[in-house]
Amino acid sequence: MGTEIVGEAAYKGASHRIKLHLDGKELTLRDGLKLTIPLKDVRKAEANDGELTVAWAKEKIVLKVGDKAARLADKILHPPSLLDKLGIKAGHVVSLVGLEDGAFVCELKQRTETVFEDAIEPNSDVILYRAVAKADLKRLKTLQKSLKRDGAIWVIRTKAPKDAKAATEMDVITSIRASGLVDVKICAFSDELTAMKAVIPKTNR
């Protein structure tokens, strides 16, 4: 998921109708022009009168996106971190289950000191649950008992599983809904993993 906008692009002397998608790693253009710009390569993103000029490497493109130009420029120059996308804030109680990622845990502990590894803390603000197999998803009903009413469970799975027993996106969605939760958001956790956010319905909080 990310920001998606329809607009026009001026690129290499031609005008194109485009669909623009922006996430934390890249700016992707589709429809009349197919182009992917890694955010790490962007050296300029400037908004002026409804136009967004993006320069990277030795190339430049002008995106006509109206009043969204300034907001897009800021997102391109200051992409949200993984912790931002997961909604983890200072002081949050975070429980990790089945997630073995030392670098991420180190970064997480710099954001909040209340981190429980391979343990479920009552009244957790966020639970990060690594679901490898379909059978792992049965635990969602139990996990939500340790979740604050306005908290979130992020179900983390392999993006392109090869094992027939591995949890797929539809498996996760079906299990979330069967457990009485609602799926509200997806974000890339890493190159290999994706995460889906599940929350308690507002009517049940």
Side-chain angles (χ1 to χ4, degrees):
M1 294 184 73
T3 301
E4 190 165 80
I5 294 171
V6 176
E8 293 184 4
Y11 181 60
K12 293 185 176 180
S15 181
H16 308 270
R17 179 76 172 174
I18 52 99
K19 288 183 179 179
L20 177 158
H21 180 81
L22 176 65
D23 60 25
K25 290 187 176 181
E26 57 191 25
L27 173 65
T28 305
L29 306 181
R30 292 293 180 265
D31 202 1
L33 173 66
K34 297 186 185 303
L35 184 66
T36 298
I37 305 170
L39 298 190
K40 64 181 178 62
D41 294 341
V42 172
R43 53 186 173 82
K44 174 184 175 183
E46 185 175 82
N48 184 29
D49 197 24
E51 294 185 348
L52 171 63
T53 300
V54 179
W56 74 104
K58 295 182 180 180
E59 298 194 70
K60 181 176 75 172
I61 191 169
V62 177
L63 304 169
K64 300 177 182 180
V65 290
D67 60 2
K68 302 178 180 66
R71 180 168 59 88
L72 283 171
D74 183 63
K75 285 190 172 184
I76 290 171
L77 294 175
H78 308 98
S81 68
L82 175 56
L83 295 180
D84 292 332
K85 291 190 287 184
L86 295 173
I88 297 174
K89 301 177 181 178
H92 269 179
V93 176
V94 181
S95 295
L96 307 178
V97 184
L99 183 63
E100 298 180 2
D101 187 329
F104 172 76
V105 173
C106 182
E107 184 180 355
L108 175 60
K109 289 182 177 179
Q110 291 177 6
R111 175 69 60 93
T112 179
E113 296 180 353
T114 320
V115 177
F116 295 85
E117 299 181 59
D118 282 323
I120 302 298
E121 180 68 11
N123 292 318
S124 290
D125 292 285
V126 178
I127 297 174
L128 300 174
Y129 179 50
R130 175 72 169 100
V132 178
K134 294 181 173 84
D136 296 335
L137 298 170
K138 295 178 181 179
R139 196 173 175 184
L140 285 174
K141 286 186 178 181
T142 303
L143 290 177
Q144 65 178 289
K145 295 178 181 178
S146 298
L147 188 69
K148 284 185 179 177
R149 305 309 291 174
D150 61 348
I153 297 174
W154 284 93
V155 182
I156 302 168
R157 66 172 185 86
T158 303
K159 287 182 180 178
K162 297 180 181 179
D163 189 336
K165 294 182 180 180
T168 66
E169 180 176 339
M170 188 51 63
D171 291 329
V172 174
I173 292 173
T174 300
S175 297
I176 286 173
R177 296 176 182 178
S179 66
L181 300 168
V182 290
D183 50 292
V184 294
K185 185 178 180 181
I186 296 175
C187 82
F189 189 86
S190 68
D191 291 341
E192 296 79 25
L193 302 176
T194 184
M196 183 174 292
K197 183 180 181 180
V199 299
I200 297 170
K202 290 183 178 180
T203 54
N204 297 336
R205 295 180 188 175

